[in-house]
Amino acid sequence: MKLATKLLMLPLLAVSVVSLSVSAQQAPKPEQLIKWRQSAFQVVAWNNSRIKTNLDGQYNKEDVVKAANTIAAIANGGLGSLFAAGTETGKGWHETNVKPALFAAGSKEGDYSAAFAKEATELAHLAATADQARVKEQFGKLGRTCKACHDDYKAKD
Amino acid sequence: MKLATKLLMLPLLAVSVVSLSVSAQQAPKPEQLIKWRQSAFQVVAWNNSRIKTNLDGQYNKEDVVKAANTIAAIANGGLGSLFAAGTETGKGWHETNVKPALFAAGSKEGDYSAAFAKEATELAHLAATADQARVKEQFGKLGRTCKACHDDYKAKD
């Protein structure tokens, strides 16, 4: 290779190295992703608990709307990125309890995730517009999407 | 008190006891509330990190919208209930690092919380409607509401 050609390539190489360096810096570590997904599901659990308390006792529509909106935002918020390759095992707040099958070929995780998002969006809509009975029915539907995925892909605590 | 009056009061008493029992059963323990609030702020951190990655690198509007919506839902979702009396100390995922001043008379927690919700709502609005420069500016505003509260009420890690 001629020297002139080598010199011409130097800036390209420099750009590549910088890009790689930025990507490496920005990509969160697997343990961080696991901690974030464990946190996201705890926030879902918190808001499930709030809705259940409202349905079982004094119904406060404003509280149910807030809780349903939070679940819907998380369900539609890109949870899949927290299950990136490299997070099959590892410790966030605790050792992950995701089963290997979630990461395997033929995993139905995408379908479950889409069902979760769909029913959570509908729950947020009904919380704001419908009565307690309709919210209760939809809350049951949402819970079944959680259970379906847990049955297949979440190891027992 | 006449026997008839006493008998009339029995159902009222029974209702009260049942209500108390349900409330006691439903009220989450302080450690649970602390775990939930630590999780909620981790989800905010996750989504802050996503927005920062987008602003520093390749800007993906859809990803920023999802992240901003999630932060806005949490900021407007009733975080205050996770700082209930009894949660001044204790362990969720880890020992709480909230300073006692947050729970004391004269606490500005309510003001900080309202500012966080306001700027997060605006960020979600701009993420969907405005360009990257406006989102970046608003993201800075949101970050300053985080810092203001942390400076006063979050102990160093």
Side-chain angles (χ1 to χ4, degrees), chain A residues 47-108:
Chain A
N47 289 287
N48 271 336
S49 165
R50 286 167 75 182
I51 295 172
K52 188 170 186 319
T53 300
N54 273 280
L55 289 171
D56 290 348
Q58 184 88 25
Y59 191 77
N60 180 322
K61 181 175 173 173
E62 190 189 350
D63 196 49
V64 174
V65 166
K66 287 178 179 179
N69 282 347
T70 304
I71 296 172
I74 289 177
N76 288 285
L79 279 176
S81 65
L82 301 180
F83 293 85
T87 65
E88 295 85 350
T89 58
K91 188 177 176 180
W93 295 116
H94 54 79
E95 289 294 329
T96 186
N97 47 16
V98 175
K99 290 183 185 172
L102 184 139
F103 299 92
S107 169
K108 292 183 286 184

Side-chain angles (χ1 to χ4, degrees), chain A residues 26 28 32 35-36 38-40 42-43 45-47 49-50 52-53 56-57 66 69-70 73-74 76-79 81-82 93-94, chain B residues 26 28 32 35-36 38-40 42-43 45-47 49-50 52-53 56-57 66 69-70 73-74 76-79 81-82 93-94:
Chain A
Q26 288 176 344
Q32 181 66 77
K35 185 180 278 190
W36 283 338
Q38 290 171 345
S39 297
Q42 278 290 321
V43 173
W46 163 41
N47 289 287
S49 165
R50 286 167 75 182
K52 188 170 186 319
T53 300
D56 290 348
K66 287 178 179 179
N69 282 347
T70 304
I74 289 177
N76 288 285
L79 279 176
S81 65
L82 301 180
W93 295 116
H94 54 79
Chain B
Q26 289 174 342
Q32 181 66 77
K35 185 180 278 190
W36 283 338
Q38 289 170 346
S39 297
Q42 278 291 320
V43 173
W46 163 39
N47 289 287
S49 165
R50 287 168 75 181
K52 189 170 185 318
T53 299
D56 290 348
K66 287 179 180 179
N69 282 348
T70 304
I74 289 177
N76 287 285
L79 280 176
S81 65
L82 301 179
W93 294 115
H94 54 77

Side-chain angles (χ1 to χ4, degrees), chain B residues 10-119:
Chain B
L10 270 180
L12 290 173
L13 186 65
V15 167
S16 300
V17 170
V18 168
S19 300
L20 276 173
S21 150
V22 169
S23 300
Q25 184 194 331
Q26 289 174 342
K29 292 182 181 166
E31 290 72 20
Q32 181 66 77
L33 295 175
I34 294 171
K35 185 180 278 190
W36 283 338
R37 77 189 181 207
Q38 289 170 346
S39 297
F41 285 106
Q42 278 291 320
V43 173
V44 172
W46 163 39
N47 289 287
N48 270 337
S49 165
R50 287 168 75 181
I51 296 174
K52 189 170 185 318
T53 299
N54 273 281
L55 290 171
D56 290 348
Q58 184 89 24
Y59 191 77
N60 180 321
K61 181 175 173 173
E62 190 188 350
D63 196 50
V64 174
V65 166
K66 287 179 180 179
N69 282 348
T70 304
I71 296 172
I74 289 177
N76 287 285
L79 280 176
S81 65
L82 301 179
F83 293 85
T87 66
E88 296 85 348
T89 59
K91 188 176 177 180
W93 294 115
H94 54 77
E95 289 294 327
T96 186
N97 49 15
V98 175
K99 291 182 185 172
L102 184 141
F103 299 93
S107 169
K108 292 184 286 183
E109 187 274 328
D111 296 340
Y112 286 144
S113 179
F116 176 45
K118 176 176 174 286
E119 303 303 352

